[in-house]
């Protein structure tokens, strides 16, 4: 939706329950209310043998069924990540399952991968790609709540989505699917990545990890990512910890917290992963990016690319333009000639 349209709609969207507001935003984007792509600063990033117009992407979870990618691409993103998609359609967890707090810019969700399943997803994403073949699109894959064979399910869905993906993210860090985070443990992750290696071919494969891992666990994940020649890690998913600056009523609620309270935790994990890998593993930073300063902090902590989601909830589509113009100024202020030259600057 255009910035002016969003300003008009914002009071209504904020008056709606969080999930209803999200669906309304997707409908607006599908209806073509995004307008024309804004004029943006030149902030190219070269990664995986291709050039991203800028480092700012949309995180998974916003467009789970790949129904609004064309509209979202008009907001100025350098890339988009659709999903999380599962093999079979499922309802997800009972409602209400998404909560937002405008005072602290925080979100709590326990969605549980709701969606129409991979068959429906592939129909949708093919249509969206026809509208805009130039989009760089990642696909985030997960498993159904009732899955008894996670390795096999991940391998099957990976094979199904390969033709439509520029890269694929294996989501093993959502706290809302029972047992999913157990796949981050060294032996389970090693077995999973070995299984996926038989399917992925030359496609770029990433893993999205939790911000709640101990340092030893993160060491194992980075080592396995390098061993299995992953194309990168995404740091991080939501946290099951309860930061002090969230609504008190959320402390007894199940689910993962995102938004501004997640920023420090996710950035610290990002910096640790960069140091552990010696800068050899591309990292995508996500979690609590609300402005250009937050985005720049993640680049300096080791992120080659960035993703936002919760920031859009509170700031609307202008967030993309604001961050990119702000990044341009921050890079120039500190004497960096490109995004690449600033990556990991705070990890020296």
């Amino acid at each position: 939706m255009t910035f002016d349209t969003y300003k008009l709609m914002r009071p209504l969207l904020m008056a709606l329950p969080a999930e209803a507001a999200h669906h309304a935003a997707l409908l607006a984007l599908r209806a073509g209310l995004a307008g024309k792509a804004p004029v943006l600063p030149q902030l190219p990033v070269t990664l995986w043998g291709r050039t991203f117009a800028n480092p700012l992407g949309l995180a998974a979870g916003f467009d789970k069924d790949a129904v609004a990618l064309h509209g979202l691409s008009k907001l100025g993103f350098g890339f988009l990540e659709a999903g999380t998609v599962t093999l079979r359609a499922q309802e997800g967890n009972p409602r209400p399952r998404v909560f937002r707090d405008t005072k602290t810019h925080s979100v709590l969700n326990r969605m549980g991968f709701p969606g129409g399943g991979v068959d429906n997803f592939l129909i949708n994403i093919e249509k969206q790609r026809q509208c805009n073949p130039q989009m760089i699109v990642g696909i985030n894959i997960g498993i159904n709540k009732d899955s008894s064979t996670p390795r096999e399910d991940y391998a099957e869905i990976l094979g199904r989505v390969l033709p439509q993906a520029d890269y694929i993210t294996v989501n093993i860090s959502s706290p809302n699917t029972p047992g999913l985070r157990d796949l981050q443990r060294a032996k389970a992750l090693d077995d999973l990545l070995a299984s996926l290696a038989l399917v992925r071919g030359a496609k770029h494969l990433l893993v999205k990890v939790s911000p709640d891992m101990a340092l030893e666990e993160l060491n194992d994940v980075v080592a396995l990512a390098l061993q299995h020649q992953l194309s990168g890690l995404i740091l991080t998913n939501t946290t099951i910890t309860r930061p002090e600056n969230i609504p008190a009523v959320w402390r007894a609620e199940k689910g993962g917290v995102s938004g501004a309270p997640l920023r420090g935790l996710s950035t610290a994990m990002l910096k640790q992963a960069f140091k552990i890998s010696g800068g050899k593993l591309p990292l995508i930073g996500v979690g609590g990016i609300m402005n250009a300063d937050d985005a720049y902090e993640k680049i300096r902590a080791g992120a080659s690319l960035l993703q936002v989601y919760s920031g859009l909830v509170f700031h609307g589509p202008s967030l993309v333009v604001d961050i990119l113009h702000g990044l341009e100024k921050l890079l120039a202020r500190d004497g960096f000639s490109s995004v690449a030259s600033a990556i990991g600057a705070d990890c020296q």
Side-chain angles (χ1 to χ4, degrees), residues 136-202:
I136 298 178
V137 179
I139 298 178
N140 187 295
I141 60 174
I143 55 171
N144 289 94
K145 185 176 183 179
D146 61 356
S147 173
S148 59
T149 54
R151 273 193 300 168
E152 291 80 358
D153 285 3
Y154 271 116
E156 182 178 348
I157 196 168
L158 175 61
R160 296 286 304 279
V161 304
L162 276 176
Q164 290 292 346
D166 292 298
Y167 70 87
I168 292 123
T169 300
V170 184
N171 189 340
I172 53 171
S173 53
S174 169
N176 302 315
T177 296
L180 189 70
R181 287 189 169 188
D182 292 343
L183 295 174
Q184 295 178 129
R185 295 174 182 169
K187 180 62 167 65
L189 182 57
D190 191 16
D191 291 345
L192 175 61
L193 294 179
S195 176
L196 297 182
L198 302 175
V199 181
R200 65 181 280 200

Side-chain angles (χ1 to χ4, degrees), residues 11-144:
L12 173 61
L13 291 172
M14 289 299 171
L16 291 172
E19 194 166 353
H22 182 79
H23 285 302
L26 282 175
L27 285 172
L29 289 161
R30 293 180 69 180
L33 297 183
K36 297 181 179 179
V39 177
L40 297 170
Q42 298 298 306
L43 293 170
V45 174
T46 300
L47 187 64
W48 307 325
R50 67 184 305 167
T51 299
F52 294 70
N54 64 68
L56 189 61
L58 177 74
F62 193 96
D63 193 356
K64 295 177 177 63
D65 284 318
V67 297
L69 296 176
H70 178 44
L72 285 160
S73 69
K74 294 181 180 181
L75 301 183
F77 287 109
F79 67 106
L80 305 163
E81 189 167 312
T84 300
V85 57
T86 55
L87 277 176
R88 300 174 300 280
Q90 63 180 19
E91 290 294 322
N93 293 322
R95 304 186 188 195
R97 54 194 182 181
V98 187
F99 310 88
R100 63 177 184 254
D101 181 62
T102 56
K103 183 178 179 181
T104 60
H105 287 176
S106 53
V107 176
L108 184 145
N109 95 82
R110 48 173 178 262
M111 295 289 283
F113 296 163
V118 69
D119 290 333
N120 175 69
F121 181 92
L122 289 172
I123 292 170
N124 293 339
I125 198 169
E126 184 175 2
K127 291 178 180 177
Q128 294 295 308
R129 280 200 173 279
Q130 289 172 353
C131 293
N132 185 354
Q134 305 304 314
M135 292 186 297
I136 298 178
V137 179
I139 298 178
N140 187 295
I141 60 174
I143 55 171
N144 289 94

